[in-house]
Amino acid sequence: MAIEIAPSILSANFSRLAADAKAALDGGGTLLHVDVMDGHFVPNITIGPPVVASLRKALPGVILDCHLMIENPDNFIPAFADAGRVGFPFTRKPARTFIARCSSSNPMAANPVWLSIPRLPCTRWNEVLDIVHHVLVMSVNPGFGGQKFIPAALQKIKTLVEVRESLGQSFRIEVDGGVALDTVGDVVRAGAELLVAGNAIFGKGDITENARKLLQAARSATLTHA
Ligand code: DX5
Ligand code: ZN
């Protein structure tokens, strides 16, 4: 499956958000990862529906990969309906009902919902893998950009690849946190295809060039994939 870079706007300069986002897309990013945090579910506050709506207007065709790290995502489904995709931590119950509600409110895609799996054991994933677009493996503790990649995420990615194969399913695998030039090879070789990157793209230097180099490094790792 094709490798895609999802620039995480959390590390962008918010005073020129659309321009930074566009620069990252010019470098080869194909969707924008948008971290929505409420200061309760995770220990940080970021952005919410108004910023998502503004981005939608500024960049009409781009999928906004909204990562909801908020206490009551059920209350906010309509606010993110235009985003393109929404993801939530796999702790919601009953997950299938929640996913069905999200899917039916979103006009932009057939299966716009994804799951993030910070710590849960593999066995429960099976409940919903057939109806999600992708599964996101957190590779840092959620809350902040610019953290160090947690290597244990690699095994989770590999396990997901095996689960997908054994169940004959087609969900994609995303990785989020600490993805940079020195870690991207490992995550791609483990089997991740959607690569979220914030600090590595927006942290320092030229945004477009950073995105381009990261994508290039990811593609080279695919070529060396056994
Ligand atoms: C962390 C967020 C990540 C974050 C990744 O809770 O979910 O999306 O922006 O940032 P980097 O790539 O800087 O680790
Ligand atoms: Zn995220």
Side-chain angles (χ1 to χ4, degrees), residues 150-221:
I150 299 173
L154 295 173
Q155 189 49 52
K156 287 188 186 146
I157 296 170
K158 289 177 190 164
T159 305
L160 273 171
V161 172
E162 285 164 17
V163 170
R164 179 172 64 191
E165 203 163 300
S166 69
L167 297 175
Q169 288 178 345
S170 56
F171 62 86
R172 301 187 72 193
I173 300 170
E174 185 173 43
V175 60
D176 183 11
V179 176
L181 287 176
D182 59 340
T183 52
V184 73
D186 286 342
V187 300
V188 167
R189 281 186 291 271
E193 304 132 351
L194 305 177
L195 314 174
V196 176
N199 194 50
I201 291 178
F202 297 106
K204 58 173 193 278
D206 184 84
I207 294 170
T208 303
E209 202 45 37
N210 291 340
R212 193 173 287 143
K213 281 194 184 135
L214 192 64
L215 182 58
Q216 226 167 45
R219 286 188 175 147
S220 320

Side-chain angles (χ1 to χ4, degrees), residues 18-103:
D20 272 17
K22 186 166 180 313
L25 297 170
D26 287 346
T30 41
L31 56 157
L32 286 177
H33 187 81
V34 180
D35 289 307
V36 180
M37 307 183 192
D38 65 356
H40 295 279
F41 192 81
V42 285
N44 194 8
I45 299 176
T46 57
I47 57 166
V51 176
V52 171
S54 300
L55 274 175
R56 167 54 57 238
K57 268 194 207 141
L59 303 162
V62 177
I63 288 176
L64 305 175
D65 189 44
C66 293
H67 187 179
L68 306 190
M69 289 166 274
I70 58 180
E71 233 16 282
N72 294 306
D74 313 55
N75 299 347
F76 292 93
I77 295 171
F80 293 101
D82 286 344
R85 273 182 214 146
V86 292
F88 64 96
F90 189 25
T91 49
R92 312 292 313 158
K93 284 183 192 168
R96 280 192 89 88
T97 316
F98 179 72
I99 291 171
R101 274 190 63 209
C102 291
S103 300

Side-chain angles (χ1 to χ4, degrees), residues 105-122:
S105 355
N106 191 313
M108 286 183 63
N111 61 342
V113 185
W114 50 274
L115 293 177
S116 107
I117 44 155
R119 294 188 192 85
L120 289 168
C122 313

Side-chain angles (χ1 to χ4, degrees), residues 103-150:
S103 300
S104 61
S105 355
N106 191 313
M108 286 183 63
N111 61 342
V113 185
W114 50 274
L115 293 177
S116 107
I117 44 155
R119 294 188 192 85
L120 289 168
C122 313
T123 46
R124 283 197 49 217
W125 303 347
N126 302 5
E127 292 173 18
V128 287
L129 291 178
D130 58 322
I131 52 168
V132 295
H133 178 269
H134 65 264
V135 177
L136 174 144
V137 174
M138 282 306 297
S139 40
V140 294
N141 290 316
F144 300 92
Q147 301 183 72
K148 211 170 150 0
F149 182 81
I150 299 173

